[in-house]
Amino acid sequence: MRSPADGPSGPLRPYGPPGTDDPFRSKQPYRPRDPYRAHGSYGAHEPNPPHAPLPSRDAYVSSRDAYGPGTPDAPYGGVRLRCATCGRLHALADLAWRCAGCHGLLDVHGFAPAMPNAVELGRRPPTLWRYAEALPMPRPPRISLGEGMTPLIGAPGRPDVLLKADHLMPTGSFKDRGAVLLVALAARLGVPKVLADSSGNAGTAVAAYAARAGLACEVYVPAATSEGKVAQLRAYGAVVRRIEGSREDTAAAAARAAEEPGTFYASHVHHPFFPHGTKTYVFELWEQLGGRLPGTLVLPAGNGTLVLGARLGCQELLDQRLIDRLPAITAVQAAGCAPLARAAAAGGDVPEPVTVTPTVAEGIAVARPARGSQVLRAVRETGGTFVTVPEDRIVAAHRELARNGLYVEPTSAVCWAALREGLVPEHAVEGDRPFAVVPLCGNGLKAKPPE
């Protein structure tokens, strides 16, 4: 199995600042393996050699400078968006967010990801763009805010568990990973405005990168969205539309507005570039843990964008022989809104209808996740499971994290709640790999604290 430590540049430090002791460093060196075979997962991939040619630093220039105006698809080669239902292909310049024929979901098609080798990684800054060859578009200049490579932190009372601090991302949530790709694509295509709908975090991420790119931005949010998130949206210059009703009512209003000509719908749910951004969560774990992944990824599931990104990233690492097995995914939902967990318990392939009850985990209160069938399949393919956490346990987990110096929004506490309550299946992990990694997805300053 090929490791990020392979190469003349010497080993990469798995995690933490120089001098940090690493309890998870493998005592056995990783050996290169045979060339791998690529396999599609939420995007059609073509075979790559394990050490594909790497671009020079000159490749990290503006795609506009490199290719000139009028060639919006040039940087992406044969990348298109393909309907998962009928197979219809859409050019990126079509600004499609659903199939023009059957309104089915779109996935990335014609993209061949490749992980850079250790020598090249060692020369790159600590952002998610260090994995440029594994992303469906080139690194954009002037848009990046330094997103990515968030630290791993020891979990309170669990030496076999690590917390990944995505609440320290530029806008305060993991959604920066996908939003920067969406806005970079919009800027490359020359659209005048981006539009998003969100319970808060995805919208603020899109708004921040739109401001950075000089694009107008309009964000649709539920009327009950936390005031901190709304204030953040407005600070970035976004026009905020507060919609009465459910999260699904907000999404429907945004979808209608997205039909306006020249509008790029930067949907973290519908646009398939988004999970190609969130997959970098897994790439960073693989690099920080010295070429390994934990036995279990514990992830929140509302619309499931982190689950889908993590599943995609794991598959790409497996296809390139960089890991030898998939980690199990435990997807966590709030008990008050658990359409995926109910479907999984019943052996179903589509989300179960639910009546939403109020939950402090507003970020995952999604009754009808658009990619719900994909999320169910993604978890099942890893041998994982869905679990639910009641309100009082979410509040208790939130309080415990804060007492240990980690102030996150309540939604970010659901995964820690599941783990501390013993809901995450325990299994043996070979060597000194961590049993599980739990994400801290959003900053506590963005949401109303639980009562």
Side-chain angles (χ1 to χ4, degrees), residues 27 66 103 107 109 114 166 184 203 208 261 281 306 316 376 394 448:
K27 297 176 177 59
H103 288 182
D107 292 320
H109 175 79
D166 267 22
Y281 174 88
L306 187 53
E316 291 181 4
L376 286 164
I394 299 173
K448 180 182 178 181

Side-chain angles (χ1 to χ4, degrees), residues 108-403:
V108 172
H109 175 79
F111 168 58
M115 183 63 69
N117 62 33
V119 175
E120 188 63 27
L121 284 173
R123 290 199 290 257
R124 297 184 181 181
T127 76
L128 63 79
W129 294 102
R130 65 196 286 105
Y131 311 115
E133 294 84 354
L135 299 176
M137 62 179 303
R139 175 176 179 255
R142 298 180 295 277
I143 293 178
S144 175
L145 292 167
E147 57 285 334
M149 201 49 75
T150 53
L152 289 173
I153 301 169
R158 289 293 302 262
D160 59 340
V161 175
L162 292 173
L163 310 175
K164 187 155 173 64
D166 267 22
H167 68 307
L168 302 180
M169 292 285 267
T171 75
S173 87
F174 83 92
K175 297 290 178 64
D176 290 359
R177 296 183 182 277
V180 68
L181 262 69
L182 294 183
V183 175
L185 176 59
R188 177 66 192 95
L189 296 174
V191 298
K193 182 176 77 171
V194 297
L195 182 146
D197 66 288
S198 168
S199 61
N201 283 332
T204 56
V206 169
Y209 289 104
R212 186 78 169 169
L215 301 178
C217 181
E218 188 173 357
V219 181
Y220 285 67
V221 300
T225 296
S226 299
E227 290 301 326
K229 294 177 181 177
V230 173
Q232 188 179 9
L233 284 167
R234 289 175 172 153
Y236 293 137
V239 175
V240 180
R241 308 290 186 193
R242 303 185 82 158
I243 306 299
E244 296 292 338
S246 68
R247 178 66 181 83
E248 288 68 35
D249 293 327
T250 301
R256 290 190 294 270
E259 299 301 325
E260 180 183 344
T263 296
F264 182 95
Y265 187 18
S267 170
H268 65 292
V269 178
H270 289 280
H271 203 292
F273 267 46
F274 197 90
H276 280 272
T278 58
K279 74 183 181 185
T280 61
Y281 174 88
V282 165
F283 292 168
E284 291 174 17
L285 285 180
W286 169 80
E287 194 177 350
Q288 290 169 313
L289 295 175
R292 296 163 295 165
L293 289 177
T296 299
L297 295 172
V298 187
L299 302 170
N303 275 306
T305 56
L306 187 53
V307 171
L308 291 178
R311 174 68 179 89
L312 174 60
C314 290
Q315 187 66 51
E316 291 181 4
L317 291 174
L318 183 68
D319 291 341
Q320 296 175 68
R321 303 295 180 93
L322 296 169
I323 56 174
D324 57 10
R325 69 190 66 182
L326 295 174
I329 293 177
T330 294
V332 187
Q333 296 205 283
C337 185
L340 297 170
R342 290 190 184 183
D349 296 324
V350 296
E352 287 281 318
V354 296
T355 299
V356 179
T357 57
T359 174
V360 294
E362 64 177 7
I364 55 172
V366 181
R368 296 192 298 274
R371 292 186 181 267
S373 293
Q374 288 185 343
V375 177
L376 286 164
R377 184 170 69 250
V379 173
R380 188 176 298 125
E381 287 171 347
T382 70
T385 188
F386 286 84
V387 300
T388 61
V389 183
E391 291 298 289
D392 62 333
R393 298 299 87 197
I394 299 173
V395 172
H398 180 268
R399 183 181 304 113
E400 181 179 17
L401 289 171
R403 292 293 191 271

Side-chain angles (χ1 to χ4, degrees), residues 15 23-24 153-162 416 432-436:
Y15 76 101
F24 300 109
I153 301 169
R158 289 293 302 262
D160 59 340
V161 175
L162 292 173
W416 180 241
D432 54 0
R433 288 191 306 156
F435 157 61

